[in-house]
Structures are given as structure tokens and as C-alpha cells.
Amino acid sequence: MKSTEVRQAFLDYFAEQGHTLVPSSSLVPDNDPTLLFTNAGMVQFKDTFLGTEPRTYNRAASSQRCVRAGGKHNDLENVGYTARHHTFFEMLGNFSFGDYFKEDAIKFAWQFLTEVLQLPEEKLWITVHVSDDEAADIWIKDVGVSAERFSRLDEDNFWQMGDTGPCGPSSEIFYDHGEAIAGGPPGSPDDDGDRYIEIWNLVFMQYERQADGELVPLPNPSIDTGMGLERVAAVMQGVHNNYDIDLFQGLIADAAKIVGCDDQSNQSLRVIADHIRSCSFLILDEVLPSNEGRGYVLRRIIRRALRHGSKLGVTEPFFHKVVSALVREMGDAYPALKTEQKRIEKALLAEEVQFARTLDKGLEVFEAAVSGLDSKLIPGEVVFKLHDTYGFPTDLTNDIARERNLELDMEGYIELMAEQKQRARAANQFAVDYTDQIDVDGETQFAGYEGVQSSGKILALLSSTGESVDILAEGSEAVVVLDRTAFYAESGGQVGDNGSLVAEDVVFQVRDCTKSGSVHLHFGTLSKGNLRVGQELNTQVDSELRKSTALNHSATHLLHAALRSILGEHISQKGSLVDPNRLRFDFSHTEAISPEQLRAIEEMVNQQIRDNSPVSTEEMDMESAKNSGAMMLFGEKYGNSVRVLSMGSVTTDKQAFSVELCGGTHVERTGDIGLFKIVSESGIAAGVRRIEAITGASAINYSNSIEAQLDQIAGLLKSDRSSAESKLETLLSQNRQMAKELDQLKLKLANSSGSDLSEKAIDLNGVKLLAECVENVDAKNLRDLVDQMKNKLGSAVVLLATVSEGKVAMVCGVSKDLTDRFQAGKILAQVAEQVGGKGGGRPDMAQGGGNQPEHLDAALASLRSLIDT
């Protein structure tokens, strides 16, 4: 049974048992900031198990994509060395949210394994927790499992999310791969062997662990199960090693062809086949290589794969070429792989090219370091240098060391990393962090959606040093916390409002507003009167700044939708800044946007502005928001009730042009934006682009300034706007012709100089040497002159230099018959160094220069001794 057939059989079976089939969620969890990656099938249902996110169904099944390559669950260093460790795998799971419990969960698992997959009962071994008599009775008395293939275990059969929260006993099902493989059954003295392999884990969530360790029964016990697709496929295909299943064999075969390796059992091919899965699916889910967080884990995986390609003798980018094999193997199950194949390949190729610059040099440093070792421990400073200078993640260095039976001095490395971080911290000056000082009973109610004025009571006052005080005197720099405010607190990319807090004989000028937990912090200066805790104040937001900010924020939503429409559905927000003057939007995309695309994006946004459609907001629960198709941002933590913002013309699927979750302030109609103008587009990181734009009066002023510049240019050209372009083209054409004629004159001058130059060549042991500085020859024609001298002199070494604006340009040429004795690149490098520069090239031709012309005569003279020796 093929891997795809195993997956489909599982989903079909549980659909028949009344389970809702739920698609695999992203590898980037949107409901758990403590997790780097989705590492189990239950992750997307975590809030449902906790009771904070009810679903419309009470039983579900899924085939979840998982990555374990960072944080607590990190299998990266074992991949390639064992039969079942992977950075990427699929977890087949069925779940019950207060519906069925142990009896049904056990019977479902047994029926699927023994009837659908038709696995022999005598090949299956069952374990339960030592305390779980209920599960034991179901297995032995109801299902009829033999007591001879049954174990009771302790910590191996108890599962919990953390130190507190939902938990419960579990029951595991193992497959016996036969006596030919070492190892005993679970719970036996030799159970660390490889004969019995866990294929299914059934977790019975029936308790909530309290802070004091007490287990309190849950009112609605639930089921969380997981079965590894790769492991079950190995069983169904009669192999013991996951890398021998059909899915991996196809990837390994293609990888072998790409890298030119005839031995398909090579360990490095397994690493490449595993890593292409995790890397491709992470990029599919908008993770891109970077130096922090998830992006750094992806970079580590990619670079480990590239190093294994290097081991196989690959010298050119290859890893991105394996994506096509993955699309063939898994594209039917995950169609997005097909549609996003080119984007994935581009992201991988970019990382390959970047790492290629340092991989060889880093390996040289490693080899030099280990060649002089008098122990098996690689010093921490070597590990640090490889990481800091050559981009070698520590697990990559450890991977190489492991092959040499060497170890890393991780303590020394960690100490050096800590010193580097300390230096970085010392180089920065931080202001008071008020978020650690706030201790307030209550929260701030935001009244800014209704208008720019409201009233509120002071809950807390903080001095400029961060100290909590009861009274503030006139002139104080401080932070004011209110129970109700019209001031928007910076979040979602939108800056905080400015304005004032006023009362009779009191004015507090607010220059910024941020959020700490559930309260708003009003930063500013008490310009008049005194303030005390409990006092009532009127909040007055600067309405013009709020309005300008709203124009830019609403335009950001339209821009996001336009980008997805023009460039593709892979576009996702990576950051934004919205203030009264401009908008900045960062998004995932692997290549620069063409001028034509930018014009199309700008026009699409302006069309939505001209349509002048209403902007609507609606409060709804998270499930309804998801069903509405609203865009959500990874990394944002949303509550049960969310604000859905819809704007723009209704599309053919009866949805507004832009529908997103957003708590910011916006215009009432898209026409209020007036005009949208893109002012720049650039790349800010690997796979991340940035667009900056302006709206409203700023956009009009910008357009007016462009027109004024055009008028000024037309005046300089003695033309008008309409004919300025053709006039400029004529002048540029004339300039190009004059430049060409000038080059020809310079070449003639160089040729005439060449007649005299040849007479300055000297003979050194049968080799003609010409080393001279020439005048009135630019660097462009210097090469032609060197070729001319080589042809004229025959067997010769020629080095000519010229000086212009304090810079030295040099070209060296060596006749073909002399390149076994003299290398033009080496000669030029030595001479260029003497004039404060560098150079290089082929054995027969090289070029370079320097910025110390005062040393040129001595440098040229040194060439005689170089040739003479």
C-alpha cells in the first residue's frame, strides 16, 4: 500500500465514523506563540481542547504536516543517522471534543489497523498507563487483545501539555518487526532496541493538572490521537526503515540523479530527501531563511542539506532542483506545492547562492582547526568563528564533527556567544520599560471608534523614571493610565494617537500612546496644573493626525489585497507601519516587482478608491471570522471576539475586495483616501519586499512636486512638457555618439603610444618584459593596448598602468607560451598590493588597481626582479 493510499484510507475510515475532515493547518501555529512549529496533529485544536474555541463539530480527523527541528522537539541532528528521525512528517489523527472517549477511541484504532489495513493481531503490542484499569479492561476484555502482548507503563504512558493544564493517561500501539531485529517489547529490560516500533498513540485527556500537582477530572474528557504516516507506510510496504518507503525512494532517486551519485543508499541522499520536505513546506507556509526564529531554523536545515551535497561533490546549486520531485510525490495531497513550486525554488536557490560564498572557506577553517587537535574536542572559538563569520549553524558543525568522531566545546561557544550579546546590549541605550512597572486594577476601555473625544478616570500615574506615583506636578514628564480613552494605542502597525488630556486648569500633552496588557499608556508632559490618581479627564485626540493615519491604514488594506491579486495568493504581511505621513508595508515575495506590476497595483488601489464603497466593521467570534474568509496574521494573538474590517467593491464571490481582522481606525468610505501613490519598492530581507506609499493631500503634493520637476527639466532642455522626452532622447543620442567618437580618438592615441612603448621592452633571460605607466589612456582602452603589445612583442609579460584622479588602473598580460611560468593574476596581485589595491584574473590576462599612485614607479620596478627570478 502506497503512502498516499495509507493517508486516504485513514481519512476515509474516520469520515465514515462521523468525523469532520479538517485540512492540515500551517506549520506556523497561529494559536500558540510558545511553539516554533506545528509538531503534532492536536496543535490546531489546542484552544478547542481548552474550551476557549468551540467548533461546529465534536469529532475530527486530519493528516497534519509537522516539523520537529527546533526548540524542545528537535530531531535535526539525528536525521540521516537513524531509520525514523525526520525534520518533517505527517501525523494522522482523530480527535473527540467531549464526544466519545476511551472505548470508541480504542475500537476505532483497532478496527482500522486490523480490518482496514489488515495487520496481523499477533504483530501488535499494546501499552497503557499503570493506573488506567479502564483502558486495560477495554483492550483485554472487550477488544480481546492477548495479555501476552500487553504492558503497563508509567511516565511513558502519561501525556500533558505542560506543568499545568489538560492531561491524562495514554495507550500506545506498537508493531513488531520480527525476531531478526534486536530489541524487546515495551517495558522489558531490552526495550531500547528497534524491533517494536510505536505506530499509534491514543491520549485520553481526562484531567486538568493544578499548580500544586492535583489532578482534577475534566467535565468533558476528550481524545487526541496520532499515528505517523511514514511509520505505518513502512509497515504496509514490508520495510523497517522509513527511508525505504515509496515516498522517500522517489525523492532519493531524483536527488541521486541531480547530484550524480550512483549509490542510492548514501546517507547524504537521505538527508537531502528529508530536508527538501521540511524546507519546501516551511517556505510554502511563508517562513523564509533569516537569522532569527523560525527563519533561522529553516536556514539551518537548508545549510545542512547543502553541506551534504558538498560531501557528494556538488559544486553548483542543486537543492532547489529537488523540489520538482517533491511536487510529483506529494503535490496531489497538497496542491499548493504545485502552484507555489517556482516561489519555493527561488527561495531555496537564493539561500544556496548566498551560502556558497562561505561554505568552502568555512570547511577549510574547520579542516585547519581539526588537523592540529591533540584531543577530540573542537575549541569553542572555532565553533563560534564558523557560526559568526561563515554562517555555520552549530548543528551543522556538529554534523561534520560527528563524522570525524569529534565533539564540540559547547560551553566555550556559549560563553563567546554570551559575550557577543553583552557587547551588543552595551552598545544600545534603552529608555525606561514602563511595561514592567504597571500594576493596575482594571483595564482601559477604548472609545476611539466612536470619535476623537471621551472622558476617563486616572487609574495610575508613572513618573519619568517609571516609578508609580499618586500626584504629578506641573512640568512633569509622565505616563497616564485611564479607565477609558479615545486615544488609539500603538498596535497592528498603526502608531499611537497624539493630543491632550484636559480638565479645569489641567492640560497634559500626549505625544504617544502604547498598550501594556489591557491598559493604555499615555506618554507626555503635564504642561498645566496638577494630576492625581482618581481624577476625571477629557481625552482629546488630534483629529487631523487621526484622520491622516486612517487614510494610510485603510490604504494598507487595499494594497494588501491588490498585491495578492496581482502577484499571487502567497503574499502575506510581514510587517507594517502606518502614521499620519505615510504607510509602509512589508510582505513575502522572492523577487523585485516590475514597474508594470507596480503600476497595476497602484491603479487597482486607486480604482477601489474611486469606487467609493463603504468601509464596514463587524464584531464576531473567531470561527465566524474564519468562515467569512477574513485574512489573519500569523503571530497575532486574537481573542474569542474579533473585529472584521471589510472594504472595497464586492467581488464575483460576493466578498468585499479586502476582508481582514483589524483593530485599527479607518475611513468611512474608500473615497475618503483620495489618492494612493507608491513612492518606493525595495527588498529588506531574503524573500521580503517593502512598499512605501502616501495618500490624500500628501499624495497630491507629491504628484505636484513631480510635475514641478518635470517643468524644470523641460526648461533646462528649452522645451515644454509634451516634447521634453523626445528632446532628452535626442541629447542622449548625441552624447552617446560623442562618447563613442572620443573613445575612438583615445584608442588612436593609445595605438600611437604603442609604437613608442614597444621600444621600452627589456629582455630578461629570453622573456620580454614591458612595465610602464602610460598617459592619456583610460582604463577601458588599457586592455586593448596590452593585447597590442603582446602581439607585437611575441613571447612577453606586459603590465601597463595609468593614473586618473588619484586612482591607479593596471592590466597585465602574459603570452600563452609563458603561462606555465608566469601567471598574470598572481603578478598583478603582487604589484597592485604595492599601490594600496588588489587585482586578479586569468593566467594570461588580469586587471586591478589601487589608490596610492605615489608608489607606482617602485611597484613597476619590482616587476623586473619578479620576472628575473
Side-chain angles (χ1 to χ4, degrees):
M1 182 180 278
K2 292 183 177 180
S3 302
T4 55
E5 294 171 334
V6 173
R7 183 195 300 114
Q8 195 59 50
F10 178 89
L11 296 175
D12 288 346
Y13 170 79
F14 279 99
E16 292 170 1
Q17 311 308 318
H19 291 66
T20 297
L21 299 185
V22 181
S24 171
S25 64
S26 169
L27 287 171
V28 181
D30 64 354
N31 62 349
D32 190 345
T34 66
L35 280 179
L36 265 180
F37 303 113
T38 299
N39 56 23
M42 61 78 59
V43 170
Q44 68 168 308
F45 303 114
K46 180 178 178 180
D47 291 339
T48 305
F49 283 124
L50 292 172
T52 60
E53 186 185 310
R55 304 253 176 167
T56 56
Y57 46 84
N58 54 19
R59 55 174 68 183
S62 68
S63 178
Q64 175 64 50
R65 297 176 287 120
C66 301
V67 163
R68 291 186 180 177
K72 178 181 176 182
H73 299 288
N74 184 4
D75 292 340
L76 182 57
E77 292 187 3
N78 291 317
V79 174
Y81 294 96
T82 70
R84 272 166 289 282
H85 275 107
H86 306 292
T87 56
F88 174 94
F89 63 94
E90 287 184 76
M91 183 71 80
L92 304 171
N94 59 288
F95 310 90
S96 166
F97 313 116
D99 184 13
Y100 61 82
F101 199 45
K102 294 182 184 179
E103 182 177 1
D104 284 335
I106 289 171
K107 289 182 177 178
F108 286 153
W110 190 253
Q111 185 179 44
F112 179 73
L113 291 176
T114 61
E115 296 182 21
V116 177
L117 299 188
Q118 298 183 351
L119 296 181
E121 294 184 16
E122 63 272 14
K123 284 283 190 179
L124 301 176
W125 190 287
I126 309 300
T127 68
V128 298
H129 191 254
V130 289
S131 67
D132 199 350
D133 293 335
E134 180 185 3
D137 286 344
I138 295 171
W139 277 117
I140 295 175
K141 296 179 181 179
D142 296 350
V143 177
V145 168
S146 170
E148 296 179 355
R149 300 193 310 279
F150 189 86
S151 303
R152 286 176 177 263
L153 305 179
D154 193 357
E155 62 271 9
D156 288 339
N157 280 111
F158 197 89
W159 181 92
Q160 58 189 41
M161 283 186 180
D163 294 335
T164 61
C167 58
S170 66
S171 177
E172 295 177 323
I173 305 174
F174 291 76
Y175 182 81
D176 179 4
H177 277 274
E179 296 179 356
I181 299 171
S188 67
D190 58 344
D191 65 356
D192 59 347
D194 215 23
R195 174 176 172 178
Y196 291 85
I197 300 300
E198 176 200 339
I199 58 173
W200 204 326
N201 186 19
L202 295 87
V203 176
F204 311 127
M205 279 196 274
Q206 61 188 94
Y207 302 113
E208 181 172 5
R209 188 182 292 280
Q210 305 297 306
D212 60 3
E214 181 185 3
L215 296 177
V216 178
L218 290 171
N220 297 304
S222 298
I223 291 294
D224 162 28
T225 81
M227 179 172 68
L229 171 64
E230 292 81 3
R231 293 190 178 195
V232 177
V235 170
M236 297 305 296
Q237 293 172 28
V239 296
H240 183 61
N241 191 312
N242 286 4
Y243 290 98
D244 291 334
I245 66 176
D246 61 320
L247 193 157
F248 275 110
Q249 285 297 294
L251 292 175
I252 289 172
D254 274 51
K257 292 178 183 177
I258 291 169
V259 302
C261 177
D262 296 330
D263 179 14
Q264 293 194 16
S265 64
N266 189 291
Q267 190 179 69
S268 290
L269 290 176
R270 293 181 176 181
V271 172
I272 293 167
D274 171 89
H275 289 8
I276 196 62
R277 299 209 304 166
S278 56
C279 294
S280 296
F281 277 105
L282 283 171
I283 294 170
L284 182 66
D285 286 338
E286 308 302 339
V287 179
L288 292 168
S290 68
N291 286 327
E292 58 185 17
R294 298 182 177 100
Y296 183 60
V297 176
L298 172 59
R299 173 162 285 168
R300 287 163 52 197
I301 302 173
I302 294 174
R303 294 189 171 186
R304 187 170 188 263
L306 301 184
R307 210 281 298 187
H308 278 274
S310 177
K311 277 186 66 179
L312 295 172
V314 183
T315 58
E316 299 293 330
F318 75 94
F319 193 47
H320 67 288
K321 298 177 183 178
V322 190
V323 175
S324 59
L326 179 65
V327 170
R328 183 193 65 233
E329 297 293 337
M330 300 186 70
D332 290 339
Y334 299 100
L337 273 178
K338 297 179 180 179
T339 58
E340 299 298 324
Q341 179 178 345
K342 291 189 181 301
R343 181 172 66 88
I344 295 169
E345 289 172 340
K346 286 181 181 178
L348 289 176
L349 177 58
E351 184 68 11
E352 287 190 80
V353 171
Q354 180 177 338
F355 190 44
R357 301 188 186 107
T358 56
L359 175 59
D360 291 341
K361 185 61 179 176
L363 291 173
E364 288 178 12
V365 170
F366 180 89
E367 294 295 344
V370 300
S371 64
L373 284 180
D374 54 6
S375 70
K376 290 188 175 182
L377 194 65
I378 299 176
E381 55 264 28
V382 175
V383 182
F384 177 78
K385 182 178 182 180
L386 287 170
H387 171 273
D388 196 53
T389 306
Y390 300 104
F392 277 43
T394 54
D395 42 30
L396 173 56
T397 305
N398 190 52
D399 202 34
I400 306 171
R402 187 174 181 177
E403 295 167 1
R404 315 290 183 85
N405 197 28
L406 299 173
E407 298 177 357
L408 307 185
D409 173 19
M410 290 304 297
E411 290 186 8
Y413 164 76
I414 292 171
E415 184 176 335
L416 289 169
M417 284 294 291
E419 291 176 4
Q420 184 188 62
K421 290 178 181 178
Q422 182 61 37
R423 288 193 297 271
R425 282 193 294 267
N428 288 285
Q429 299 295 323
F430 294 97
V432 175
D433 184 2
Y434 289 97
T435 59
D436 293 333
Q437 313 294 327
I438 296 296
D439 184 14
V440 178
D441 291 330
E443 59 183 33
T444 302
Q445 178 187 356
F446 179 56
Y449 294 134
E450 293 78 29
V452 293
Q453 295 187 4
S454 70
S455 61
K457 183 175 66 176
I458 299 177
L459 297 177
L461 296 169
L462 293 173
S463 69
S464 59
T465 62
E467 179 184 1
S468 181
V469 296
D470 293 326
I471 298 176
L472 282 178
E474 186 173 307
S476 299
E477 292 280 332
V479 174
V480 178
V481 181
L482 303 174
D483 67 347
R484 190 169 187 270
T485 184
F487 280 79
Y488 183 82
E490 178 182 350
S491 62
Q494 180 176 330
V495 298
D497 282 328
N498 293 355
S500 58
L501 307 177
V502 300
E504 187 175 355
D505 297 324
V506 173
V507 177
F508 183 86
Q509 299 291 343
V510 180
R511 65 174 182 271
D512 195 10
C513 185
T514 66
K515 189 180 292 186
S516 175
S518 58
V519 297
H520 288 210
L521 311 180
H522 302 77
F523 291 79
T525 304
L526 183 56
S527 59
K528 181 180 179 182
N530 299 321
L531 286 180
R532 67 181 183 279
V533 174
Q535 186 174 356
E536 289 280 342
L537 294 174
N538 291 320
T539 65
Q540 298 179 353
V541 175
D542 186 318
S543 59
E544 289 303 315
L545 293 180
R546 164 74 74 82
K547 180 180 178 181
S548 297
T549 302
L551 301 184
N552 287 329
H553 200 163
S554 296
T556 301
H557 284 240
L558 295 178
L559 171 61
H560 191 184
L563 286 167
R564 291 173 63 85
S565 178
I566 300 294
L567 302 181
E569 294 295 310
H570 67 278
I571 296 293
S572 65
Q573 181 176 332
K574 293 300 180 183
S576 70
L577 173 65
V578 179
D579 65 24
N581 303 311
R582 60 173 178 148
L583 66 90
R584 187 181 74 204
F585 190 76
D586 301 338
F587 55 97
S588 57
H589 195 56
T590 55
E591 58 189 12
I593 303 175
S594 69
E596 294 76 18
Q597 289 173 321
L598 280 176
R599 282 194 291 271
I601 292 164
E602 187 175 270
E603 173 54 31
M604 183 172 286
V605 173
N606 281 312
Q607 180 61 55
Q608 293 297 326
I609 292 172
R610 291 193 296 273
D611 288 347
N612 196 27
S613 57
V615 175
S616 65
T617 58
E618 185 178 358
E619 295 280 343
M620 61 180 71
D621 60 77
M622 179 57 77
E623 192 66 27
S624 299
K626 289 180 179 178
N627 293 336
S628 75
M631 288 283 295
M632 302 177 190
L633 303 182
F634 285 127
E636 291 286 337
K637 188 65 178 178
Y638 299 107
N640 290 331
S641 179
V642 293
R643 194 166 182 260
V644 178
L645 183 80
S646 301
M647 68 172 68
S649 305
V650 176
T651 58
T652 53
D653 58 359
K654 298 183 179 180
Q655 187 180 48
F657 180 69
S658 168
V659 182
E660 293 190 37
L661 300 191
C662 184
T665 59
H666 290 272
V667 298
E668 294 183 1
R669 303 186 71 92
T670 58
D672 297 343
I673 299 171
L675 178 65
F676 171 82
K677 190 67 183 173
I678 294 174
V679 295
S680 71
E681 188 276 337
S682 61
I684 60 169
V688 180
R689 309 295 299 179
R690 170 174 291 174
I691 282 180
E692 296 192 58
I694 49 181
T695 61
S698 295
I700 293 173
N701 292 337
Y702 177 81
S703 296
N704 289 340
S705 70
I706 295 297
E707 289 189 359
Q709 290 178 34
L710 180 57
D711 286 337
Q712 186 176 5
I713 292 170
L716 292 172
L717 294 171
K718 295 181 171 51
S719 172
D720 55 26
R721 285 189 194 177
S722 60
S723 56
E725 183 179 359
S726 60
K727 186 69 176 291
L728 181 59
E729 286 180 351
T730 300
L731 286 176
L732 290 174
S733 178
Q734 291 172 353
N735 186 64
R736 285 191 294 268
Q737 181 62 34
M738 292 171 65
K740 185 176 180 181
E741 292 173 358
L742 181 60
D743 284 342
Q744 291 172 347
L745 289 172
K746 287 181 178 180
L747 185 57
K748 287 181 180 179
L749 183 60
N751 290 336
S752 63
S753 299
S755 301
D756 300 331
L757 274 177
S758 62
E759 297 176 0
K760 296 182 180 181
I762 60 175
D763 192 295
L764 293 176
N765 300 321
V767 176
K768 290 181 180 178
L769 170 64
L770 177 61
E772 292 290 331
C773 177
V774 294
E775 297 179 355
N776 301 319
V777 178
D778 60 19
K780 181 180 178 182
N781 292 315
L782 199 60
R783 187 183 182 112
D784 293 335
L785 189 56
V786 169
D787 281 335
Q788 180 184 334
M789 290 298 96
K790 281 170 55 182
N791 294 333
K792 193 169 186 178
L793 294 172
S795 184
V797 173
V798 179
L799 191 149
L800 298 181
T802 188
V803 178
S804 176
E805 298 180 354
K807 301 290 184 182
V808 179
M810 293 186 290
V811 176
C812 180
V814 177
S815 302
K816 294 284 188 182
D817 61 317
L818 296 177
T819 53
D820 58 335
R821 296 168 58 191
F822 306 108
Q823 302 281 310
K826 292 181 179 179
I827 292 173
L828 189 64
Q830 293 184 48
V831 176
E833 185 178 2
Q834 298 178 60
V835 294
K838 57 184 179 179
R842 305 191 311 268
D844 63 325
M845 181 63 72
Q847 58 189 35
N851 55 14
Q852 298 173 4
E854 64 273 17
H855 301 310
L856 179 57
D857 290 342
L860 293 175
S862 70
L863 187 56
R864 175 169 180 162
S865 60
L866 181 65
I867 300 299
D868 207 12
T869 55

